[in-house]
Amino acid sequence: MSKKSRNHNVLSVVGVLVLVLGFLFKPSDTIRSFKIKSDLKNQLPRFAEAPEYRNGAECPATTSSSVCDRFRVHIAMTLDVEYLRGSMAAVSSVLTHASCPENVFLHFIVAESDSEKLSPLTQLVRSTFPSLHFKVYLFKDDLVKNLISSSIRSALENPLNYARNYLADILDVCIDRVIYLDSDLLVVDDIQKLWNIELTKSRIIGAPEYCHANFTKYFTDGFWADPVLSRVFSGRNPCYFNTGVMVMELKRFRQGNYRRRIEGWMELQKQKRIYELGSLPPFLLVFGGDVEAIDHRWNQHGLGGDNVKGSCRSLHPGPVSLLHWSGKGKPWTRLDSGNPCPLDHLWAPYDLHLSTHNHQLLQNKPISTSSS
């Protein structure tokens, strides 16, 4: 697939809104189906096989299949059965819009409690994306099991949500940088653009910041009333950022022992409740006010509504490079229920899940919502 042909299909944000109003997609490339082994079909969903994506002539050639190749674009995602459908759609979107898809390397993190599914999940990814370079890792739940406190939504208590804290330890030491992505999103722009963003002043994290949000609400009144605890933000101007999309400098993360700093706040939370959400507040405590601010187009978040009702939401003003269904409502759940939100229809064309509900949608071509 050449860069020229991909660019031909790139639509503006206006095109997205037109689509929401009901315009149909064009027919897509042929997508072949496959069946996983009979002893696994009752454990894992079935997915269509995506087309093979190839680099254009302008792409730098990797010298080997090694994970350490300097031209790799490293992306880390968790992989579990509950969000498997979302993960597959996310990967599909990345490859569809990547200028050099063969240079993309996916790092999938599987919970150790699901270790019996490691081989089936690996087989499933390989069968679904035959041209994808990837590696699957086991995450030891025990690392965080005793550090997790109750949250406002039980799904936020999943140990796998905390795997991002340990990427510097989990991934190969030769990997100095990684893009962390949640499983409930779509990338509708060239991932290379996000990868190339420089983190200045030796910053560890790059992410879209939202300084208009009420930062105080992410911590309890008791936290702000404690002069010792609240002093952590002294000299900083912290803003909210969503940890579902981050560029992470792993070499700096290792050198600064940031894993231990995050764990320290989680240990304090067990002793004295200082926040209500799950894995987000420790990141805010450690990195808030020292984040490389990335353009908001790279995380149009909140499309899943809040953490309680999960009601429908619309796009934020401005261009879009990444759509993120953070919050309670997930597009695959709402589509299957027959009561989707308008923006859920943008997610559907990337859904490779083989089901009666979306069989016809697989014949539609994914589009881009980015603008040049």
Side-chain angles (χ1 to χ4, degrees):
M1 180 184 294
S2 68
K3 187 172 183 179
K4 181 177 180 181
S5 63
R6 277 190 302 274
N7 289 341
H8 181 72
N9 289 323
V10 173
L11 301 182
S12 65
V13 175
V14 174
V16 176
L17 300 179
V18 171
L19 174 63
V20 172
L21 293 175
F23 277 44
L24 297 176
F25 295 108
K26 297 179 181 180
S28 69
D29 298 331
T30 301
I31 298 180
R32 302 178 298 279
S33 66
F34 74 96
K35 294 182 180 180
I36 57 180
K37 294 180 180 179
S38 58
D39 59 333
L40 303 178
K41 67 180 181 180
N42 293 326
Q43 301 178 37
L44 298 176
R46 296 172 60 240
F47 292 89
E49 182 182 314
E52 293 192 12
Y53 296 95
R54 297 302 181 192
N55 284 353
E58 72 281 6
C59 295
T62 55
T63 57
S64 69
S65 59
S66 170
V67 66
C68 299
D69 190 287
R70 67 190 183 95
F71 292 122
R72 296 289 183 206
V73 174
H74 296 283
I75 301 172
M77 297 178 63
T78 58
L79 200 62
D80 64 17
V81 174
E82 183 178 358
Y83 286 88
L84 186 57
R85 192 166 164 187
S87 299
M88 293 299 194
V91 174
S92 176
S93 71
V94 168
L95 295 177
T96 297
H97 300 287
S99 59
C100 301
E102 290 184 83
N103 293 4
V104 172
F105 199 106
L106 260 293
H107 302 269
F108 294 108
I109 317 298
V110 176
E112 190 176 42
S113 56
D114 282 335
S115 59
E116 76 282 355
K117 297 186 179 73
L118 181 64
S119 179
L121 283 170
T122 301
Q123 175 193 341
L124 188 58
V125 172
R126 183 175 293 114
S127 300
T128 307
F129 301 103
S131 58
L132 177 66
H133 298 282
F134 72 95
K135 188 174 180 179
V136 183
Y137 310 76
L138 278 180
F139 174 65
K140 296 181 179 179
D141 306 48
D142 288 343
L143 286 173
V144 293
K145 188 175 294 183
N146 295 325
L147 294 174
I148 298 174
S149 56
S150 60
S151 183
I152 61 174
R153 184 159 59 92
S154 59
L156 300 177
E157 300 169 23
N158 186 338
L160 207 53
N161 288 338
Y162 295 83
R164 71 197 83 185
N165 303 3
Y166 299 87
L167 290 177
D169 299 320
I170 295 172
L171 305 188
D172 298 74
V173 70
C174 66
I175 301 173
D176 292 337
R177 165 180 281 219
V178 71
I179 298 172
Y180 177 81
L181 296 178
D182 272 351
S183 298
D184 53 357
L185 54 75
L186 294 178
V187 177
V188 289
D189 201 346
D190 185 3
I191 196 68
Q192 188 78 43
K193 297 177 184 177
L194 183 59
W195 177 258
N196 289 340
I197 291 174
E198 180 185 2
L199 303 194
T200 61
K201 300 180 180 179
S202 299
R203 291 191 172 104
I204 315 297
I205 300 294
E209 286 188 309
Y210 301 89
C211 296
H212 63 278
N214 182 2
F215 190 81
T216 61
K217 73 176 183 179
Y218 294 99
F219 302 95
T220 63
D221 292 340
F223 170 84
W224 294 112
D226 190 317
V228 176
L229 294 180
S230 58
R231 195 169 57 197
V232 68
F233 294 118
S234 178
R236 291 195 273 168
N237 183 25
C239 296
Y240 163 76
F241 65 96
N242 181 279
T243 53
V245 180
M246 296 186 292
V247 179
M248 305 178 67
E249 292 290 357
L250 297 185
K251 184 176 182 179
R252 299 173 191 169
F253 197 100
R254 298 181 186 107
Q255 291 172 341
N257 198 17
Y258 283 92
R259 161 190 167 174
R260 185 63 200 132
R261 299 188 195 188
I262 293 172
E263 288 177 334
W265 285 110
M266 294 174 67
E267 290 168 354
L268 180 62
Q269 165 76 350
K270 296 287 287 187
Q271 302 168 20
K272 180 180 181 179
R273 197 164 183 84
I274 58 176
Y275 54 80
E276 301 298 336
L277 289 173
S279 59
L280 169 63
F283 256 84
L284 296 180
L285 286 161
V286 173
F287 297 109
D290 193 23
V291 171
E292 187 73 33
I294 294 175
D295 195 291
H296 288 175
R297 68 187 300 155
W298 285 105
N299 196 352
Q300 284 264 353
H301 71 291
L303 304 185
D306 59 30
N307 281 304
V308 180
K309 295 181 179 180
S311 54
C312 295
R313 289 184 179 174
S314 57
L315 289 173
H316 306 251
V320 182
S321 291
L322 188 148
L323 298 158
H324 189 186
W325 278 261
S326 57
K328 184 178 180 181
K330 303 306 175 188
W332 56 90
T333 302
R334 296 193 292 213
L335 285 163
D336 284 354
S337 70
N339 188 32
C341 294
L343 290 177
D344 295 343
H345 294 289
L346 299 179
W347 181 89
Y350 298 90
D351 183 13
L352 299 177
H353 184 230
L354 289 176
S355 67
T356 303
H357 171 78
N358 63 28
H359 181 72
Q360 292 301 319
L361 289 175
L362 289 174
Q363 307 307 312
N364 298 326
K365 176 178 279 189
I367 67 164
S368 173
T369 57
S370 64
S371 61
S372 56

